[in-house]
Amino acid sequence: MERVIDSTPVESGGRTEPTPKGSRQRQRRLPLIGGVRLGLRGKRYLFIYGCLLLPLLFFAAVRLLPILYSFNVSFREWAILSPDKPFVGFANFASLFQDEVFLGSLRNTAVYVIVGVPGQIVAGLAVALLLQRITVLRTFFRTVYFIPYITSVVAVSWVFRWILMKNGVANGILLELGLDPQPFLYSPSQSIFWIIAAMIWQSIGFQMLVFLAGLENIPRLYYDAASIDGAGSWSRFRHVTIPLLNPVILFSVVIASIGFLQSFTQVLNMTGGGPLNSTNSIVLYIYNTAFKSFEMGRASAATVILFVIILAFTVLQLKVLDRKVEY
Amino acid sequence: MKKRPILAIAAAALAFTLALTACGNGNNKPNEKADSGNKEKASNTQTAEPPKLDPNAKVTIEYWQYEFPAKVELINELITQFQQEHPNITVKQTNFPYDQYNQKVATLVPAGKGPDVINLYYGWLPKYVASGYLQPLPEADFPAAEIEANFFPFVETAKLNGGYYALPTGVRTLGLFYNKDLFVKAGLDPNKPPATWEELVTYTKKLTELDDKGQFVVEGFGWEPGSQLHHWFRDGLLYQAGAQDTSEDRKKLLWNETPAGLEAFKYLIDFAKEHKVGINGFYTDDANAFKTGHAAINVDGSYRLSSIKKDVPDLNYGIAPLPSYKNKSTQASFWANAIPSNVKGDKLAAAVEFLKFLTSKGVQEQWVEKIGELPAQKEVALQDKYINDEKLGPFIAQLPDGRAHFFIDETQERTLFVEAVDQVLLKDVPIEKAFEDLITKTQKLYDDYWAKK
């Protein structure tokens, strides 16, 4: 920014350098408060800061303040329609930890992360490795794999729901093969894994792209050196690819973890959290508490808990996974 | 060098996450102001004088209802008619998706920006009134005695603290939808729908069609606990079996007061468990299964008529009153128009005029013809042209037996019901135990609600 200003001719005799403090020009140039006229440079400053400030204000008003405010809400009994919002201390948190449905949603969210994150990383990496080896039709495959990622989540969820419904395509295939039809989304023990499958399928494209970029950045040199030393393909993958891909893996794990911790749209559209709350996630619990039961206090308390979990999780991942790589 | 960008990205991702998880709460802020505002309003609405509209004043009022295309369209037409009769009043319609309705009210009404006439689901009224958002309808314009003489009895659910807070234009009841073609195919008389509990079971067994692998081709009964079955149970089956939903003061559930309650619950579950004539999730839900000819009989509301007409105009189906047992009973429900407590002066007078218009005979006739919701006034509904209507008739015939049960929390009460049913079906929990658990959990919702009063 400094450079831009310095190289710009100013109205006062074409001088290009801002003069030091105390000079007459400085007073003319600076945007002064209280009706003093602004010079061209002053206007420029005003414009630049204005451009920078407006989004910041917007961000603060629309994002930051509500976040801080939700901490306040979490300590109140805040039924959306009731005129009184009394302060109740930790009562919302206490009631959450006695609520079977909430505890269940915590457990389910853990399953989403524990199963979903490795699944997503492995699938994305596998596709990336395969794509890296082909040259013909590479762009085509990359595009095809990326399409699910930019498709509406709601639409994809419903397509999965239709495929997996009792008389859907999946059961049709099983029956054709002479196998027993499955309850899929209507089984408390199966449904969460089908939702995770849908989530993985949809995000493969994103992970693939990130990994492809990471793989491109690994110099061929290392592979050649490893080959000369007699390393096989697994050895090369294990001792060259994986360590050098570590920063990318870390990024992918963090992004995927946050995604799975926030499982919502697929759950809402595929099962609504059922059967018997077996797929209910924290975010769906928050949504139902806030916008179906209108208990904003409890919902905010659950939001705060989710915030703490995500924060702890991310810090932990940075500590554990982000090791220095020796070249 | 390696660490920084990752940290930065992670931090950015985290910030974004926070923003996402917390954004839902941003809407509540204006609520703070509600405290003082509402108390003020509550005190000056009790003594409301009959409002008089200054004939020279130009007034603009706002009408809110949820997004339902047919209703939005008709209201626009009605507004044109109304404005011709009242050239000095302009009515503006605003619509919100069903899900956002309560949020909008809670944020905009205290800020003085809400509607002048608002359309609300009857089950929400207790919460709205308790929160001070509504004013009682002026007695001079809407005398209680007149309402009770003209409207069907269940409209009394809109009477709270001794006064009426809202009035419906149209109402709905549950009825039996049956596919005539499938009746003929199963060798049943398409003009003789099942009229008793027993007949319903026999019929649905005959109507069920399985393929050679034992999979449903046609369900005899569209069995979907998450749809209307909960309402059918509470306002239909319970009373038909001789039980009651709640005590007079609405504080205690009476489902297990007599064995009749369990009998009703078992009757409902047995369609899936014993008779195996229907199952949840078949063609996604009951309404869809019925529309596509994959469910022969379905319990659904009169509001489904218009969507069937639009989506599958050629479906050959009939309507019958709900099968009865010891008594007749059906669920009735309605959306009603109310006036928020901050509407005063000319706007109040105009709102009253508009509300009178919306509940008038002429509008109720247009409402039933265009929307398919039943007229809320006896005089309008019980006209020959509607009673003898093949589709509307059975719904209207049931209006005198209609009951509109009290809600604490529609979503939670329905979820508990669905869970109880799932416990029996998926986990083989004995029906008696699932039923007792359901009552205990639902009663807790009621206890918590009343404890706060």
Side-chain angles (χ1 to χ4, degrees):
Chain A
M1 205 170 72
E2 211 176 313
R3 210 183 43 195
V4 173
I5 293 159
D6 282 351
S7 62
T8 314
V10 186
E11 81 283 13
S12 58
R15 288 185 55 155
T16 55
E17 229 174 82
T19 31
K21 354 172 163 114
S23 82
R24 233 164 15 103
Q25 270 113 343
R26 182 172 169 269
Q27 285 181 342
R28 282 181 61 199
R29 271 184 226 121
L30 280 182
L32 290 181
I33 306 150
V36 178
R37 116 191 135 86
L38 292 172
L40 186 58
R41 172 165 292 205
K43 280 178 190 155
R44 194 184 298 272
Y45 267 121
L46 201 62
F47 177 73
I48 291 170
Y49 279 112
C51 286
L52 290 172
L53 202 62
L54 267 179
L56 188 71
L57 282 177
F58 180 77
F59 182 77
V62 177
R63 297 291 198 208
L64 239 42
L65 286 179
I67 290 171
L68 295 176
Y69 204 79
S70 73
F71 283 89
N72 173 18
V73 176
S74 72
F75 291 111
R76 291 170 183 277
E77 186 185 316
W78 190 300
I80 196 167
L81 288 172
S82 78
D84 304 315
K85 325 277 188 200
F87 184 84
V88 293
F90 284 92
N92 286 325
F93 293 90
S95 87
L96 279 179
F97 283 106
Q98 283 164 3
D99 182 354
E100 261 312 306
V101 181
F102 179 72
L103 295 175
S105 75
L106 278 181
R107 282 192 295 272
N108 293 334
T109 305
V111 175
Y112 281 116
V113 174
I114 291 166
V115 179
V117 174
Q120 193 173 320
I121 302 289
V122 169
L125 184 57
V127 174
L129 285 169
L130 290 175
L131 279 183
Q132 204 203 8
R133 291 184 179 212
I134 60 168
T135 42
V136 182
L137 290 178
R138 185 173 174 180
T139 320
F140 170 75
F141 276 113
R142 203 172 52 194
T143 311
V144 168
Y145 273 98
F146 196 68
I147 285 174
Y149 186 70
I150 51 166
T151 309
S152 152
V153 182
V154 176
V156 168
S157 305
W158 274 87
V159 170
F160 267 86
R161 186 173 165 169
W162 281 323
I163 291 174
L164 296 172
M165 72 181 173
K166 285 207 170 114
N167 52 323
V169 181
N171 267 333
I173 294 172
L174 287 179
L175 285 166
E176 280 305 312
L177 296 172
L179 299 167
D180 283 340
Q182 292 298 315
F184 296 121
L185 298 175
Y186 295 92
S187 150
S189 54
Q190 283 183 16
S191 54
I192 195 166
F193 299 105
W194 292 111
I195 294 180
I196 292 173
M199 291 165 102
I200 291 178
W201 179 79
Q202 193 158 22
S203 55
I204 282 180
F206 172 76
Q207 298 291 3
M208 169 206 72
L209 220 57
V210 174
F211 281 122
L212 268 182
L215 289 170
E216 297 295 326
N217 276 336
I218 301 176
R220 291 263 8 129
L221 198 69
Y222 296 115
Y223 288 109
D224 295 341
S227 297
I228 291 168
D229 287 345
S233 61
W234 167 251
S235 247
R236 286 201 298 271
F237 176 71
R238 170 72 188 80
H239 296 292
V240 179
T241 312
I242 293 290
L244 291 178
L245 218 49
N246 199 37
V248 180
I249 293 175
L250 173 70
F251 169 78
S252 284
V253 168
V254 171
I255 293 292
S257 303
I258 292 174
F260 278 99
L261 281 169
Q262 292 186 326
S263 305
F264 173 71
T265 316
Q266 287 91 342
V267 188
L268 179 70
N269 287 289
M270 285 170 73
T271 61
L276 294 173
N277 286 314
S278 60
T279 57
N280 206 356
S281 67
I282 302 183
V283 181
L284 183 59
Y285 180 90
I286 293 170
Y287 171 78
N288 281 332
T289 311
F291 302 117
K292 299 282 180 188
S293 300
F294 305 114
E295 291 179 46
M296 293 298 164
R298 271 165 65 90
S300 293
T303 319
V304 169
I305 293 172
L306 179 63
F307 159 62
V308 171
I309 293 174
I310 293 183
L311 184 70
F313 216 77
T314 308
V315 169
L316 191 77
Q317 282 170 340
L318 290 174
K319 286 248 184 276
V320 173
L321 288 172
D322 193 22
R323 303 231 174 85
K324 265 233 171 310
V325 183
E326 299 290 335
Y327 286 94
Chain B
M1 191 58 209
K2 281 220 162 299
K3 204 157 184 169
R4 274 206 205 116
I6 295 296
L7 264 174
I9 289 163
L14 191 68
F16 184 61
T17 310
L18 284 177
L20 281 182
T21 51
C23 67
N25 297 307
N27 285 338
N28 306 327
K29 280 191 67 192
N31 254 7
E32 258 190 326
K33 295 171 196 150
D35 281 53
S36 53
N38 270 326
K39 276 172 202 149
E40 210 177 284
K41 280 161 213 154
S43 58
N44 60 26
T45 49
Q46 296 302 327
T47 52
E49 287 283 304
K52 288 276 169 296
L53 186 59
D54 178 356
N56 301 318
K58 288 257 181 224
V59 191
T60 301
I61 56 170
E62 204 174 324
Y63 178 71
W64 277 18
Q65 69 168 344
Y66 69 112
E67 259 167 23
F68 188 86
K71 287 189 178 182
V72 173
E73 236 168 75
L74 180 56
I75 284 287
N76 277 335
E77 255 173 63
L78 290 173
I79 287 174
T80 317
Q81 293 171 25
F82 176 76
Q83 287 177 167
Q84 274 165 4
E85 287 169 34
H86 303 82
N88 52 341
I89 304 178
T90 309
V91 184
K92 220 183 96 200
Q93 181 182 201
T94 309
N95 311 106
F96 297 108
Y98 177 85
D99 281 357
Q100 288 175 20
Y101 219 73
N102 290 289
Q103 297 165 54
K104 294 287 177 191
V105 173
T107 49
L108 291 176
V109 171
K113 284 177 187 158
D116 302 292
V117 178
I118 179 167
N119 194 243
L120 295 169
Y121 187 61
Y122 86 93
W124 299 343
L125 290 173
K127 261 186 190 172
Y128 271 78
V129 171
S131 309
Y133 283 104
L134 302 180
Q135 53 179 299
L137 304 179
E139 173 74 21
D141 296 284
F142 303 95
E146 214 169 274
I147 294 174
E148 275 148 35
N150 295 340
F151 286 75
F152 284 102
F154 57 82
V155 173
E156 221 184 314
T157 25
K159 189 181 189 180
L160 296 144
N161 313 331
Y164 278 89
Y165 279 83
L167 274 181
T169 304
V171 298
R172 308 91 66 91
T173 56
L174 283 183
L176 203 70
F177 288 67
Y178 66 98
N179 186 314
K180 291 187 173 178
D181 291 342
L182 292 173
F183 263 55
V184 173
K185 203 174 157 198
L188 293 165
D189 181 352
N191 296 315
K192 259 198 77 198
T196 63
W197 277 24
E198 232 183 290
E199 277 178 12
L200 182 61
V201 174
T202 340
Y203 276 56
T204 50
K205 280 183 180 168
K206 281 186 190 159
L207 287 159
T208 302
E209 195 190 330
L210 303 175
D211 66 13
D212 51 357
K213 282 157 185 149
Q215 302 295 302
F216 280 112
V217 178
V218 172
E219 294 184 301
F221 187 70
W223 194 83
E224 194 68 48
S227 297
Q228 305 303 323
L229 294 192
H230 175 228
H231 299 308
W232 185 38
F233 170 71
R234 287 186 71 168
D235 289 318
L237 298 177
L238 271 180
Y239 287 94
Q240 291 169 5
Q244 252 184 302
D245 183 45
T246 58
S247 57
E248 282 295 311
D249 60 5
R250 296 163 167 178
K251 288 186 179 167
K252 192 170 183 315
L253 295 177
L254 300 178
W255 303 356
N256 56 352
E257 206 64 358
T258 62
L262 180 62
E263 191 185 358
F265 188 66
K266 190 168 177 331
Y267 177 75
L268 183 141
I269 288 193
D270 274 348
F271 283 101
K273 193 170 171 63
E274 275 301 308
H275 316 312
K276 300 194 192 314
V277 293
I279 196 66
N280 53 334
F282 185 65
Y283 281 89
T284 67
D285 62 41
D286 58 325
N288 201 32
F290 185 79
K291 277 186 195 170
T292 54
H294 294 97
I297 293 181
N298 193 28
V299 169
D300 209 341
S302 39
Y303 36 81
R304 195 70 63 195
L305 291 175
S306 59
S307 84
I308 292 182
K309 198 170 172 183
K310 186 167 152 269
D311 299 343
V312 276
D314 297 331
L315 190 71
N316 183 17
Y317 72 104
I319 304 291
L322 291 179
S324 61
Y325 182 33
K326 290 172 183 157
N327 307 303
K328 285 182 181 178
S329 186
T330 187
Q331 191 236 5
S333 64
F334 53 92
W335 285 76
N337 294 309
I339 303 177
S341 39
N342 57 354
V343 181
K344 295 189 193 95
D346 281 350
K347 279 189 187 266
L348 178 57
V352 166
E353 281 305 314
F354 190 55
L355 191 55
K356 274 187 188 166
F357 170 76
L358 285 180
T359 48
S360 67
K361 199 178 158 194
V363 170
Q364 295 201 346
E365 289 195 349
Q366 294 185 56
W367 201 260
V368 62
E369 277 150 29
K370 301 246 167 69
I371 312 287
E373 285 192 333
L374 318 169
Q377 292 198 42
K378 293 181 212 167
E379 186 198 351
V380 188
L382 301 176
Q383 297 180 84
D384 285 346
K385 60 175 170 177
Y386 299 134
I387 291 188
N388 296 332
D389 185 284
E390 199 194 350
K391 298 279 178 344
L392 291 173
F395 287 114
I396 287 173
Q398 294 185 94
L399 277 170
D401 304 317
R403 291 168 206 279
H405 70 78
F406 182 62
F407 282 114
I408 302 272
D409 182 331
E410 188 194 1
T411 313
Q412 279 208 54
E413 287 176 55
R414 188 209 314 263
T415 306
L416 289 176
F417 182 81
V418 172
E419 275 173 22
V421 170
D422 279 349
Q423 290 284 2
V424 176
L425 250 63
L426 301 173
K427 300 244 156 147
D428 275 324
V429 170
I431 292 185
E432 297 75 20
K433 188 179 177 308
F435 189 53
E436 286 305 321
D437 284 355
L438 169 63
I439 295 169
T440 313
K441 285 182 184 164
T442 314
Q443 182 66 54
K444 189 175 177 298
L445 282 182
Y446 280 65
D447 291 345
D448 289 352
Y449 172 82
W450 289 109
K452 283 179 200 159
K453 290 282 121 183

